[in-house]
Amino acid sequence: MAMANNPYLDQFLMFYSQSDAGNGLTRGLENDLARRTYVPTKLDRELRDAILDCNYRLVILTGNAGDGKTAFIQKLEEAAEAAGAKISRPDSLGSHFEINGRTFRTLYDGSVEVPGTTNQEMLANFFVDFEGDEPSSGNTCLVVAMNEGKLIDFLSHTTHFKWLSQKLLEHLQLNTPLADDMVLVNLNLRSVVDAARGQTDSLFDQILDRYVAEEFWTSCDGCPARHRCPVKFNVDTFRLRSISGLNDKDAEAVEERNASARIARSRLKSIFQILHFRKRIHVTVRDLRSVLAYTLFGKHTCQQIEQEIQSGSTDFTDRYYYNAVFDANEKDRILGLLRDFDVGLASLPMTDSRLSFTRPGTSEFRQLFLRFDHPGTLGRTNSDVEDLCRLYDSRPMSPEQRSQDSLETSRKYVSSLRRKLFFEGDQPDEQGQRKFLSHLLPYDNIEEFMRFIETKTDPSGHLKQWIVLAISRSESIYDEQRGRENICIRTRHDADTAVKAYFTYPAGHFNLEVEEPPAQAKYVEYLPTSVQLRHHERNIVLEISLDLYEMLMRIRDGYVPAAGEMRAFFLNLLMFKKQLMSLPSERLLLSGSDYNLYQMSRTPQNGVSIGVPS
């Protein structure tokens, strides 16, 4: 059986950082496929035109490796060339060209060391137009990509760029505004996702669109092995088919399949939204391209997959996207973090029992999941069912059949189905809408958190009340009314204290808000990483990441965290409490037990009254 060889798959593999085929497509616009899968960002839509319209004389792009700094400069050069400029590249470090009467000079990476000269000397030569104690009046625009640490190091150790150093260092360290013809863009502030559940124009949605675009995968539709190929299965899951030219019946079926694909896309996106809101790591465009490449395409070429299919003995279970995105054996740093909230490790006895005793491929099994199938080549083949059936049949059916291998097979089967259920489960809510299966995640309250960040509204102030109550309960205030009305902070934590005393800070003195984009995020896709509880008179702020928020909500519901959890999540909260305690408190709450409270307050005559709080 001769297989159709997809000319693009081998190249797609090279987007993955740990690819066996090499990772030659992880940097810049290395070849035609890298250019065809490049997605325009806010830099391309807004900053590029501002530069070519001569609005700036100095443009500095900072950020991590993989943030797309070099790719943006290359796209800027392409736009200039399309406008008639002649690009000159005297070396591999950058270029220069003229357009609209202005000279432009670019530097792809200001952090590199060049043979024969130091980094300081290279940067001094590049910034020569800004030399001196006064603003430059030249007609050259500099565009440079570099690490912020290198930029600060250069500015801090030069005496030839006094005015430039002062302006940039004050901007970086004190957040003072730059001159109108200068801009510094920090790509560490860029988010590859937004807070929306559905499909949008976020970088995640755009890159996924390009990865599964029709133009790259039509050759697979006629492949004899398409019914077993895991790459075909993964691509077809997220591929949106066109209904143009189809008859009404086929168009309706394809639109239903596309609806399932959109739901699966939104659930895959939610995994990266959680990663963003955990605030553990900045996900670069390179990171996203890498992990999506592994999730969809794995590490095997067309030829290798052909050999495995023809051998007939290969189990592809681990290569289906719903397992691959949580792969425990890969060294990619993003995959390592995604494993922390692997939905396959959830413990749900009722769900697990149903999954364990439902044979794949049966009508009862199909009722659990979205429909992706369609006659012919327009739908997704259920190639994973064959592998899941093999796992199902290998489970121990009696005590005598139990062995380490059979038990491991049984666990693999259930965890695989949990993951498939998360991405493809079809469980309508009371309104008939497909539910987001948040119960498979270790975050019971994530939807309220994301809704607030997306809408920036807190109807009836419920979310703020919950957070205030949770902070009070973390200090052993179990009276719900007092805990909601005030942030209560214990004055001392001595174990042998007979009477506990609490400072109180009225909840009305605090606002729950989402941070506005800083100046350095002007040209990037910005999404806050946390919710902020801010004292509206004093600049005392508690930044609440998703992990801290989840822990607070569990405390609100009665959970008592262990010492290790306190150390992991509560550093921000501890600093917030210490800052609050520097403010005067009008009332103290006193307690001889966790539930009997008394109030001590100051009288208008500067006396003290003690009584039961009203």
Side-chain angles (χ1 to χ4, degrees):
M1 177 178 65
M3 288 182 61
N5 184 59
N6 188 311
Y8 297 107
L9 177 58
D10 292 0
Q11 297 180 61
F12 270 115
L13 299 180
M14 297 175 69
F15 284 117
Y16 178 47
S17 66
Q18 309 297 315
S19 173
D20 295 337
N23 56 7
L25 296 186
T26 60
R27 180 179 175 85
L29 303 177
E30 299 290 344
N31 74 348
D32 178 62
L33 184 63
R35 293 178 182 277
R36 290 171 67 180
T37 55
Y38 179 86
V39 298
T41 68
K42 199 172 180 181
L43 291 177
D44 302 294
R45 293 190 298 270
E46 299 180 16
L47 180 58
R48 184 190 65 189
D49 290 342
I51 293 172
L52 297 180
D53 289 342
C54 303
N55 293 343
Y56 295 114
R57 292 195 55 246
L58 177 61
V59 179
I60 300 176
L61 305 171
T62 66
N64 288 354
D67 268 319
K69 303 183 295 295
T70 302
F72 168 71
I73 294 177
Q74 290 174 328
K75 298 298 284 187
L76 175 69
E77 292 169 347
E78 288 181 5
E81 202 163 20
K86 183 178 180 181
I87 309 297
S88 176
R89 297 181 178 87
D91 51 43
S92 61
L93 299 176
S95 67
H96 60 259
F97 55 90
E98 290 187 11
I99 193 170
N100 295 330
R102 172 165 288 185
T103 300
F104 292 82
R105 294 171 57 207
T106 69
L107 182 60
Y108 300 140
D109 188 351
S111 306
V112 299
E113 296 290 338
V114 181
T117 184
T118 65
N119 179 259
Q120 289 283 116
E121 292 171 340
M122 179 193 71
L123 291 176
N125 291 332
F126 181 75
F127 286 110
V128 66
D129 292 318
F130 287 86
E131 194 171 21
D133 300 343
E134 301 294 333
S136 170
S137 58
N139 194 35
T140 299
C141 174
L142 305 182
V143 183
V144 55
M146 65 187 304
N147 177 278
E148 186 176 304
K150 275 287 188 182
L151 176 63
I152 293 175
D153 182 61
F154 167 71
L155 297 172
S156 302
H157 293 87
T158 180
T159 59
H160 299 292
F161 300 89
K162 185 175 180 180
W163 179 84
L164 181 66
S165 296
Q166 180 182 353
K167 286 295 181 183
L168 289 176
L169 289 175
E170 287 179 353
H171 177 69
L172 289 167
Q173 298 167 358
L174 304 176
N175 202 30
T176 59
L178 288 171
D180 291 341
D181 60 353
M182 299 168 62
V183 63
L184 190 150
V185 180
N186 184 355
L187 292 176
N188 282 329
L189 299 173
R190 173 198 273 166
S191 171
V192 297
V193 293
D194 54 16
R197 276 275 185 243
Q199 187 173 0
T200 63
D201 62 350
S202 74
L203 295 178
F204 172 90
D205 293 295
Q206 291 186 68
I207 291 172
L208 182 57
D209 267 339
R210 294 308 302 147
Y211 272 21
V212 299
E214 198 95 359
E215 62 194 274
F216 302 123
W217 303 105
T218 51
S219 63
C220 294
D221 291 338
C223 178
R226 63 183 180 276
H227 299 291
R228 284 292 291 141
C229 177
V231 175
K232 182 78 164 62
F233 174 91
N234 294 338
V235 169
D236 283 348
T237 300
F238 302 103
R239 187 175 170 186
L240 299 176
R241 296 279 192 169
S242 171
I243 62 174
S244 176
L246 299 179
N247 60 51
D248 291 345
K249 182 179 179 180
D250 282 345
E252 182 179 353
V254 169
E255 194 50 52
E256 181 182 354
R257 198 216 69 86
N258 286 347
S260 297
R262 291 187 184 97
I263 293 172
R265 281 170 169 238
S266 70
R267 294 176 181 175
L268 181 61
K269 178 180 175 179
S270 71
I271 295 295
F272 292 90
Q273 290 171 324
I274 291 171
L275 190 60
H276 175 83
F277 291 125
R278 293 190 78 200
K279 207 177 177 180
R280 299 288 184 89
I281 193 172
H282 164 60
V283 180
T284 68
V285 173
R286 183 186 300 174
D287 289 330
L288 179 62
R289 289 167 70 94
S290 171
V291 73
L292 283 181
Y294 179 75
T295 300
L296 297 176
F297 315 126
K299 300 171 72 173
H300 296 78
T301 65
C302 261
Q303 184 178 5
Q304 291 170 330
I305 295 173
E306 176 185 10
Q307 293 171 351
E308 291 172 322
I309 291 175
Q310 289 181 348
S311 71
S313 60
T314 301
D315 177 9
F316 292 121
T317 307
D318 292 335
R319 301 191 211 169
Y320 299 119
Y321 77 92
Y322 50 79
N323 284 324
V325 74
F326 299 115
D327 196 311
N329 299 313
E330 289 298 311
K331 296 180 180 179
D332 182 86
R333 64 177 192 149
I334 303 301
L335 288 174
L337 291 169
L338 292 178
R339 287 196 293 269
D340 290 347
F341 44 95
D342 180 358
V343 296
L345 303 180
S347 180
L348 301 166
M350 295 290 290
T351 300
D352 291 348
S353 177
R354 185 176 182 184
L355 295 176
S356 297
F357 297 100
T358 303
R359 182 177 176 80
T362 63
S363 59
E364 184 182 358
F365 181 87
R366 289 194 295 271
Q367 289 173 4
L368 295 172
F369 300 98
L370 300 168
R371 297 288 299 273
F372 290 86
D373 53 344
H374 181 277
T377 62
L378 295 176
R380 184 190 76 177
T381 59
N382 294 319
S383 57
D384 63 335
V385 170
E386 182 175 330
D387 292 307
L388 291 172
C389 280
R390 187 181 295 111
L391 292 176
Y392 181 86
D393 293 336
S394 300
R395 298 170 308 130
M397 303 304 293
S398 67
E400 293 77 20
Q401 293 179 357
R402 289 181 181 176
S403 65
Q404 188 65 36
D405 289 343
S406 65
L407 290 174
E408 183 59 37
T409 298
S410 183
R411 283 191 287 267
K412 181 177 180 179
Y413 173 72
V414 175
S415 61
S416 295
L417 280 188
R418 286 195 202 108
R419 296 175 187 130
K420 182 179 175 68
L421 189 69
F422 175 77
F423 293 109
E424 300 182 12
D426 187 12
Q427 298 183 14
D429 58 19
E430 296 176 355
Q431 289 75 37
Q433 301 295 317
R434 269 91 176 224
K435 291 192 296 186
F436 174 63
L437 307 181
S438 57
H439 60 280
L440 289 169
L441 293 166
Y443 297 98
D444 298 329
N445 304 278
I446 184 174
E447 298 205 52
E448 293 86 356
F449 182 90
M450 291 179 60
R451 188 179 300 116
F452 178 75
I453 287 185
E454 182 179 10
T455 65
K456 301 182 182 179
T457 59
D458 181 17
S460 305
H462 287 158
L463 188 58
K464 188 180 84 168
Q465 286 183 2
W466 292 344
I467 291 173
V468 169
L469 176 60
I471 295 173
S472 297
R473 285 194 170 171
S474 73
E475 295 285 303
S476 301
I477 289 288
Y478 298 106
D479 184 303
E480 183 165 340
Q481 180 180 346
R482 310 293 170 253
R484 282 191 288 106
E485 292 175 348
N486 304 277
I487 290 181
C488 304
I489 303 178
R490 192 169 165 182
T491 59
R492 299 176 62 118
H493 286 269
D494 297 338
D496 56 351
T497 301
V499 177
K500 303 170 187 174
Y502 301 87
F503 292 125
T504 61
Y505 304 93
H509 291 183
F510 296 86
N511 297 326
L512 193 64
E513 57 191 42
V514 175
E515 184 181 12
E516 292 299 319
Q520 294 178 15
K522 181 178 180 181
Y523 290 109
V524 300
E525 292 80 358
Y526 178 76
L527 179 65
T529 54
S530 60
V531 171
Q532 295 187 333
L533 184 67
R534 183 184 299 273
H535 192 281
H536 62 64
E537 292 181 359
R538 305 291 184 91
N539 192 29
I540 299 176
V541 181
L542 173 62
E543 288 194 5
I544 306 173
S545 67
L546 179 59
D547 285 334
L548 177 56
Y549 170 80
E550 181 65 28
M551 184 60 67
L552 286 172
M553 293 302 99
R554 293 183 184 184
I555 292 172
R556 175 203 64 182
D557 295 335
Y559 178 74
V560 179
E565 293 174 303
M566 294 286 284
R567 286 193 299 269
F569 298 112
F570 277 65
L571 181 59
N572 278 356
L573 183 57
L574 178 62
M575 296 303 297
F576 175 72
K577 291 177 179 179
K578 287 185 178 297
Q579 288 178 310
L580 275 187
M581 291 175 70
S582 67
L583 301 179
S585 176
E586 294 296 322
R587 293 179 302 162
L588 285 177
L589 291 181
L590 305 176
S591 173
S593 69
D594 287 338
Y595 294 95
N596 295 324
L597 295 175
Y598 299 89
Q599 177 178 289
M600 177 184 291
S601 58
R602 184 182 301 163
T603 67
Q605 297 78 27
N606 288 327
V608 173
S609 70
I610 300 179
V612 177
S614 58

